[in-house]
Amino acid sequence: ISFWSTMLFVPMAVVSKYREDTQEKVVTFPKISVIIPAYNEEKVIANTIEGLLETKYPNKEIIFVDDGSTDSTLAIASRYKEKIRVLHKENGGKATALNYGIVYTKGEIVVIVDADTIIGRNALKEIVKGFEINEHVAAVAGNIKVRNRMNIITKCQALEYITGIQIIRRAFDIFGSITIVPGALGAFKKSFLKEAGAYGKDTIVEDFDQTIKLLKAGLITQGSSKATAYTEAPNTLKDFIAQRKRWYRGNIQVLKRHSDALTNPRFGYLQRLSLPYLFLGMVVTPIIGFIATFNAILGIIMGDGLYILQISGIFVVVHFLMTALALRIDDEDPKLLWYAIFLVYGFKQIIDFLLLKAILEQLRNKKAIWTSAKRIGV
């Protein structure tokens, strides 16, 4: 799976990079409405707002939506009320904060920025270029980078973000079927966003759910590696596991909710490429990974250690080359390449374990619902 993914996705990533580099600069600047949903972000919200104010874009409005914070988030944001619009609502979750903010937007393009994210100075100019590729482009995903690279956990996450964006997402960009326009930095054409419907509260990964709804409507989602945003990644193993458990539970919720797109050919590349790859990576690969690990241990016990070492060596070399290409495409710190071994052996096993745990939790929930239904005679 890793070999064929590399052989298929790497050439497409190179083509996507070339296409973006040769794209002309923006001449017209449509009005942009930037929404910042926030809940208890007093430590970072000032940096986020100041970063947006300094961003080079001549025609923008910034809308801050406080989702019932219990700390000083609203008070800090209110200091900027002469430059931005400050809204406040009762706590209801990020999806409700986004829906509330969209009501007040005046721009034809809506940009979502997380409250703990600092965007690059040219990010808005670059993200707008994505809508000029095709009139059916509904959303453009930004390039999310980890800024707190302080230990092995955050550096592995930084590398994971880079390889995932620069190889996998660039390949999907060729087909206009990027599956996640991230909440950290994502732009949407307002008219298409309204057609797809409001952000839903049925999942805990509303950005993934909303992107799939746009793709199911036959629209296009693109990506921009030059529209950069910098976010804080969990810097302890405990926080990392908590974050990923939430992500994976939400991702499985979205796959279940849109499972019809896996089998219905009318959904185009979403059905033929994007969702099957996600399903493979989230369900099949973790299971195969554990079976392969068990087989490797068994093989060593039975005296096939040299063969196992050779296969593992090939696997590592393929990942090193793929990682090196991703770093080169994104003009990133080449020193991160040395963390590829930790990403392949150790970091990936944690991710696979969390994915399997999330799958089992969903299966247990389904079994509990079925058991309850049987008890009451449904």
Side-chain angles (χ1 to χ4, degrees):
I1 291 172
S2 295
F3 177 79
W4 284 110
S5 296
T6 304
M7 293 301 102
L8 291 171
F9 289 159
V10 165
M12 289 189 287
V14 173
V15 171
S16 175
K17 168 67 173 174
Y18 174 78
R19 188 175 70 174
E20 185 175 18
D21 286 345
T22 55
Q23 192 176 356
E24 295 181 1
K25 293 183 178 180
V26 177
V27 179
T28 59
F29 298 94
K31 188 173 181 63
I32 284 180
S33 298
V34 183
I35 301 176
I36 315 169
Y39 176 72
N40 289 351
E41 299 284 0
E42 63 180 6
K43 294 180 180 179
V44 294
I45 193 60
N47 290 334
T48 300
I49 293 174
E50 288 173 8
L52 279 165
L53 289 172
E54 293 175 8
T55 302
K56 297 176 182 179
Y57 194 86
N59 192 14
K60 67 176 185 284
E61 65 170 350
I62 300 171
I63 300 172
F64 171 84
V65 183
D66 178 69
D67 188 35
S69 295
T70 56
D71 61 4
S72 302
T73 300
L74 180 59
I76 295 170
S78 296
R79 299 173 191 168
Y80 302 90
K81 61 183 179 182
E82 294 181 1
K83 299 178 181 180
I84 69 173
R85 185 163 194 167
V86 178
L87 304 175
H88 174 71
K89 60 179 283 296
E90 292 183 0
N91 181 253
K94 186 178 177 180
T96 63
L98 289 171
N99 293 331
Y100 189 70
I102 290 170
V103 174
Y104 291 88
T105 57
K106 298 177 182 176
E108 56 186 284
I109 293 175
V110 176
V111 177
I112 310 298
V113 176
D114 277 349
D116 62 348
T117 301
I118 298 175
I119 72 171
R121 296 218 169 180
N122 294 309
L124 296 182
K125 284 184 179 180
E126 293 295 340
I127 210 164
V128 164
K129 288 166 66 175
F131 293 99
E132 297 183 351
I133 295 173
N134 190 305
E135 61 179 3
H136 297 294
V137 174
V140 180
N143 184 354
I144 312 304
K145 294 176 175 287
V146 174
R147 72 171 184 264
N148 58 326
R149 304 174 186 182
M150 59 179 66
N151 56 33
I152 189 170
I153 295 173
T154 52
K155 287 178 180 178
C156 280
Q157 288 176 85
L159 193 58
E160 181 195 19
Y161 278 41
I162 293 165
T163 54
I165 289 170
Q166 295 306 330
I167 302 297
I168 308 302
R169 203 172 74 184
R170 275 191 176 278
F172 288 164
D173 178 68
I174 291 290
F175 299 97
S177 60
I178 288 176
T179 51
I180 302 178
V181 176
L185 177 60
F188 300 85
K189 196 169 284 186
K190 187 177 178 180
S191 56
F192 290 144
L193 195 59
K194 286 186 173 181
E195 284 181 23
Y199 278 87
K201 296 191 294 181
D202 298 331
T203 71
I204 53 179
V205 284
E206 65 290 321
D207 49 359
F208 185 17
D209 181 53
Q210 193 70 12
T211 308
I212 297 298
K213 287 197 293 184
L214 292 169
L215 289 170
K216 287 177 76 174
L219 299 168
I220 296 171
T221 55
Q222 301 286 166
S224 171
S225 65
K226 294 181 180 180
T228 53
Y230 300 86
T231 189
E232 291 278 340
N235 57 18
T236 65
L237 188 60
K238 180 181 177 182
D239 290 342
F240 170 75
I241 289 173
Q243 182 203 58
R244 293 309 169 100
K245 282 174 69 176
R246 176 184 172 276
W247 282 6
Y248 299 149
R249 283 200 305 267
N251 289 347
I252 292 169
Q253 287 174 351
V254 172
L255 284 177
K256 286 172 63 179
R257 187 178 184 189
H258 299 287
S259 58
D260 58 322
L262 274 168
T263 55
N264 194 330
R266 78 180 183 87
F267 293 121
Y269 288 119
L270 178 65
Q271 184 265 336
R272 294 196 294 270
L273 176 68
S274 301
L275 276 188
Y277 181 82
L278 283 177
F279 181 80
L280 192 71
M282 290 176 57
V283 179
V284 178
T285 305
I287 297 171
I288 292 174
F290 275 98
I291 294 172
T293 302
F294 174 78
N295 283 340
I297 295 170
L298 186 64
I300 292 170
I301 293 171
M302 296 180 67
D304 291 329
L306 180 61
Y307 173 74
I308 300 298
L309 183 63
Q310 290 172 342
I311 295 298
S312 298
I314 293 170
F315 185 70
V316 169
V317 168
V318 168
H319 273 270
F320 258 88
L321 293 174
M322 193 170 171
T323 302
L325 177 64
L327 291 169
R328 181 68 182 86
I329 288 175
D330 210 26
D331 196 24
E332 266 285 355
D333 183 3
K335 292 179 182 178
L336 284 175
L337 182 60
W338 299 112
Y339 291 88
I341 187 68
F342 299 107
L343 192 63
V344 174
Y345 292 110
F347 204 73
K348 188 180 182 300
Q349 279 66 37
I350 295 172
I351 290 173
D352 287 347
F353 173 75
L354 294 174
L355 276 167
L356 281 175
K357 189 175 180 182
I359 293 167
L360 291 173
E361 284 177 358
Q362 291 293 323
L363 291 173
R364 279 201 300 268
N365 291 340
K366 188 175 181 180
K367 184 178 179 181
I369 292 170
W370 175 247
T371 304
S372 300
K374 283 170 64 178
R375 284 175 185 167
I376 61 174
V378 176

